[in-house]
Every structure is written in structure tokens, then in C-alpha cells.
Amino acid sequence: MGHTATPQDTAGGLTATEHRLPNGLRVVLSEDHLTPVAAVCLWYDVGSRHEVAGRTGLAHLFEHLMFQGSQQVTGNGHFELIQAAGGSLNGTTSFERTNYFETMPAHQLELALWLEADRMGTLLAALDEESMENQRDVVKNERRQRYDNVPYGTAFEKLTAMVFPEDHPYHHTPIGSMADLDAASLDDAREFFRTYYAPNNAVLAVVGDIDPEQTLAWVEKYFGSIPSHDGKRPPRDGTLPEVIGGELRELLEEDVPSRALMAAYRLPHDGSREADAADLALTVLGGGESSRLHNRLVRHDRTAVSAGFGMLRLAGAPSMGWLDVKTSGEARVEEIEAAVDEELARFAQEGPTAEELERAQAQLEREWLDRLATVGGRADELCRYAVLFGDPQLALTAVRRILEITPDEVRAVAAARLRPDNRAVLVYEPTGPQEDETEAENDTEGADHQ
């Protein structure tokens, strides 16, 4: 196997090396002998942004099909073999990638590598109408349970469609529509697999209590004979103006527990210094109970039971800032929105205090360390930076860039982006009695779908 080790970089003693097989598969290894476990993470460079009109949801549907059997492993065998060996596993789909991952006792690493290679190389041998219909029904039921039949469940889908205009590759979310799921054929699925599930469209990360030389030998043995595929079409351009140019608004009268104000703002692309500054701004404004919006709306005004502001980082399109406020009692959305705008305007003028910025940086640093602390989290981060930014080493240095951001950079990105003319707004009005002082569960995840 021909391979090149990238220069090692460290974060708390962590290192990673990169290697490439002749068929194009990129392999990232990170040794960690603290516990006798190993994580395997495989990212395919395909997500909902690669889909075309009329076939939305195909990337997510295929995530499910990958667990339906391959040439050597029939039915539910992938789950059964991993779990019988003491491991855990899953897969998720987002706008920009599909990933599959296992965490195993270290002595069972070879099994996980063989299983991933078998379905990458032979899934088409087992893909038939029965498995297609089975998983189509599973995904449709998932849509009902997580989106259509839960309070506020379609909020993320609606705001995404407002922030990203018609025909934009990010206009639809990974779950897809019922009509498109019904329309997807077995031939569509087979073509999708041939196009995107090739070794030269994937990154494999193995992290934990591993012998790198032995691990690379297994990777070559099981993945090396899988042919590459050159038919992939690049994703459509996701470029948009930095600012929407006018507020978009929709009023929804639904059976929800309480009034709600939700909004999405266009933010800088992930991977940029401005995106890191935006992340810090949203953390100061709405990242937990010490944030400005929580203090203003929940503690001081007592007009809300929850107030959060988070960031969905996107590399191929503008990221999104997600505001989510649930009202308290009979509080009106109008007064909450006025208070939010007042806080945003003040922040755009003054920026964060030194204490606020330090606290936000510490919060993001802790989240970063938490991700790298587990072998599975580190494998996922290495794959992410390899697929989206071309360099897995960036995963080990991400926090340095956060800690370098200045208060004025945070203030500037807030002034430029957190404006009324750069947001899509949803206002929820309940059709039935409201729940007093009760925060309803809100499952509006859009980045990952399991």
C-alpha cells in the first residue's frame, strides 16, 4: 500500500497520521492506549446537498439501506455482529455528509473494518425491492415521529427553506419529503450507491488502542480491492449573498404547548475565522443559562421559559444561527421579539465584555475537548475536517483558532449578520390551551438524522 503520513500535530498529546490507498480511500489513524477500545468512523462525501429535485431524502434513505445486508452479511447481521462483539454502532446523515461508526473492544477492530469494507464493496449484491420497501417505510415513519407529529417539529424544515431559496442545494433538509420518498426507485438507489459509495469518496478514521501497522494491513486487506468510481458530480454551488436582504416571516397556528418565536440568520461559512467569531457571539447571546437572552427573557422579564441561540455550521453554504424562544404564560411574542432586537442591537454596538468572551471561549473549548476525549468523537472530528476542509489535522487545532478571536471580531460579525433584514422568522400561536410555565420538548434537529 502506498501511503504518506502527514506531519503530526498535537492537542493535549493527541496525534493523527494520514494515509491513502491506491483506490483513493483516505485513512486517518490516531493512537490512544488509555482504554482498550477502538473507534471506526467512515465518512462518505454525500449528503442532502447532492440530491436533485424530485429525489430528496435519498441520502438519508441510503443510510438506512446500508444496514440492510451485504453480500457476506445478510439482514440485520451488521448490528448483530457488532453488538455480539461488545460494540456499539450507528449512522447519521446531514446536508454535507453521511457517516457510519462503530466503537469496539480493541481486539475486535478487525471485525468492524471487515464489516464496513464488505458493505462498501458488495452492498449492491444484496439490495433488492424488499429491503428498499422496508427502509422506505422506516424513514417515512421517522419523519412522522420526529417532524410531522410533534410540536414545533417542522420548524427547522420551514426555516431552512426560507433561508435557502428555491433550487438552492440546502433548501431541503436531509429527511426529504413523503412524495419524494415514495418516488425513489430501486434503480435510483443503485445509481446513488455506485456514484457516492466509492473508496475515493470516503475517509476512514480509526482511533484508540490500535497498532497502526496492523490496522493499515487490515485496511489494505479488506478495502484495497474495492474499485474507485469517477462518476461523482460535484455538489451545486451553495453561494448566497451574506444577508437575506429583508425579513421573511410566517405565522403558524398549530396545536403546540405555548407561543414560540424562532428565527434563523445567515452566518459565515464554516472553516472561516468569521464563523468562529459568530459561534462565540451566539454563545454569549444564547448559549446557556448565563447568556444574555436567558438573563433578559427568562430571569428578568419572565416572558419566556427558555431562550437559546445556537449555530449550525455549514461548509458549502452560509451557516445558520438558530434562535428558539418559548413563551411563559400569556406573554406575547411581540414583546419578546422587541426585547431580542434590543439585546442584539446593544451587542452589535458594544460587543461582548472581556468576561463574557472568556466564558464563551471556555464553553466552546470544553465542548471541543469533550468531542476529542472519546475515541468515537475524535474519529468523527478527524473525518469531518478531512472531508469538508481537506486536512484532518485541523481537528486537533480547532480550539486555538477560537481562543484567538478578539472582542471586536465578535462584535463585527454580530453587527453584520444578526440584523432584522437577515433572518427568517416563525411565530407559533397555539390553537388550544397553553401549558403554563412548561417547556415543551422540541426535536428540530436538522444536522444529523439517524
Side-chain angles (χ1 to χ4, degrees):
M1 170 176 51
H3 66 264
T4 303
T6 57
Q8 292 191 352
D9 203 344
T10 63
L14 302 179
T15 61
T17 58
E18 183 179 0
H19 317 262
R20 190 181 292 269
L21 271 61
N23 61 8
L25 179 68
R26 297 173 69 184
V27 184
V28 184
L29 304 180
S30 179
E31 283 186 82
D32 181 352
H33 302 290
L34 188 63
T35 55
V37 294
V40 173
C41 184
L42 189 59
W43 271 45
Y44 291 93
D45 185 11
V46 58
S48 59
R49 67 170 173 165
H50 295 85
E51 297 166 349
V52 298
R55 290 298 181 270
T56 66
L58 196 55
H60 180 218
L61 174 61
F62 214 92
E63 172 212 316
H64 286 259
L65 290 172
M66 284 284 279
F67 290 98
Q68 278 293 285
S70 52
Q71 188 172 48
Q72 308 297 329
V73 183
T74 59
N76 203 38
H78 193 104
F79 271 101
E80 293 168 355
L81 287 168
I82 293 291
Q83 291 171 343
S88 61
L89 71 161
N90 213 328
T92 68
T93 310
S94 77
F95 290 99
E96 301 182 321
R97 60 95 185 106
T98 308
N99 69 340
Y100 303 90
F101 47 93
E102 298 90 7
T103 298
M104 308 287 288
H107 68 281
Q108 295 285 3
L109 171 60
E110 185 181 7
L111 172 63
L113 292 171
W114 174 74
L115 284 167
E116 288 293 359
D118 188 59
R119 61 180 175 181
M120 177 190 283
T122 71
L123 184 121
L124 285 185
L127 184 59
D128 56 21
E129 290 287 358
E130 181 180 357
S131 59
M132 182 81 174
E133 289 307 313
N134 177 284
Q135 291 308 304
R136 191 200 314 268
D137 288 343
V138 169
V139 173
K140 288 168 68 175
N141 193 49
E142 179 181 337
R143 179 180 173 91
R144 294 185 191 99
Q145 291 180 341
R146 298 182 59 186
Y147 288 79
D148 298 336
N149 298 333
V150 295
Y152 317 107
T154 59
F156 182 83
E157 191 172 42
K158 291 178 182 297
L159 285 172
T160 299
M162 295 165 76
V163 169
F164 300 112
E166 195 81 34
D167 296 326
H168 189 274
Y170 291 68
H171 178 72
H172 67 278
T173 56
I175 193 68
S177 72
M178 285 291 197
D180 287 357
L181 288 168
D182 283 333
S185 68
L186 182 59
D187 285 341
D188 290 330
R190 287 172 172 159
E191 179 61 25
F192 193 88
F193 180 84
R194 293 188 190 100
T195 302
Y196 296 110
Y197 279 75
N200 54 317
N201 195 47
V203 172
L204 173 69
V206 186
V207 175
D209 188 16
I210 64 172
D211 176 333
E213 185 176 343
Q214 177 63 77
T215 302
L216 284 171
W218 284 331
V219 171
E220 167 65 13
K221 177 180 179 180
Y222 298 122
F223 288 89
S225 62
I226 302 173
S228 61
H229 181 79
D230 297 324
K232 178 187 173 182
R233 298 175 295 275
R236 290 174 290 140
D237 184 15
T239 304
L240 286 172
E242 291 185 353
V243 178
I244 294 172
E247 184 181 82
L248 307 173
R249 180 176 291 263
E250 185 175 349
L251 173 65
L252 300 171
E253 296 182 354
E254 295 185 2
D255 184 15
V256 292
S258 65
R259 296 187 182 97
L261 170 68
M262 299 187 191
Y265 295 76
R266 277 188 198 165
L267 297 178
H269 289 236
D270 192 16
S272 66
R273 191 175 177 96
E274 293 80 7
D276 290 339
D279 205 350
L280 287 165
L282 299 193
T283 302
V284 172
L285 288 164
E289 295 185 358
S290 64
S291 66
R292 288 196 181 191
L293 291 177
H294 185 91
N295 281 328
R296 171 68 185 272
L297 299 173
V298 179
R299 290 181 176 172
H300 182 269
D301 295 354
R302 297 187 178 181
T303 54
V305 294
S306 66
F309 214 165
M311 183 173 177
L312 173 63
R313 287 177 174 260
L314 297 170
S319 300
M320 281 204 299
W322 174 272
L323 174 70
D324 186 347
V325 182
K326 304 296 193 311
T327 65
S328 173
E330 294 300 316
R332 310 298 300 180
V333 167
E334 292 81 1
E335 61 180 315
I336 288 176
E337 190 167 6
V340 168
D341 285 342
E342 185 180 314
E343 292 298 326
L344 295 185
R346 181 182 296 115
F347 191 81
Q349 183 68 33
E350 302 172 358
T353 66
E355 181 184 359
E356 285 177 325
L357 182 57
E358 183 179 0
R359 186 165 58 240
Q361 288 172 324
Q363 183 173 329
L364 294 183
E365 181 180 24
R366 184 175 63 252
E367 293 171 1
W368 174 78
L369 290 171
D370 285 345
R371 290 193 296 273
L372 294 192
T374 66
V375 292
R378 195 181 324 149
D380 193 61
E381 288 294 294
L382 291 168
C383 281
R384 171 175 173 251
Y385 280 94
V387 169
L388 298 181
F389 306 110
D391 185 2
Q393 302 294 335
L394 293 172
L396 305 181
T397 59
V399 76
R400 296 181 194 170
R401 297 183 288 279
I402 290 285
L403 299 178
E404 291 171 354
I405 301 297
T406 66
D408 192 58
E409 288 177 288
V410 176
R411 184 208 60 76
V413 76
R417 301 301 189 101
L418 302 181
R419 303 163 19 181
D421 66 345
N422 186 37
R423 69 185 176 199
V425 178
L426 291 182
V427 175
Y428 280 88
E429 283 288 341
T431 56
Q434 294 185 57
E435 294 181 7
D436 190 18
E437 301 296 322
T438 301
E439 180 182 358
E441 288 292 325
N442 178 27
D443 181 9
T444 54
E445 178 194 355
D448 297 320
H449 298 268
Q450 300 183 17

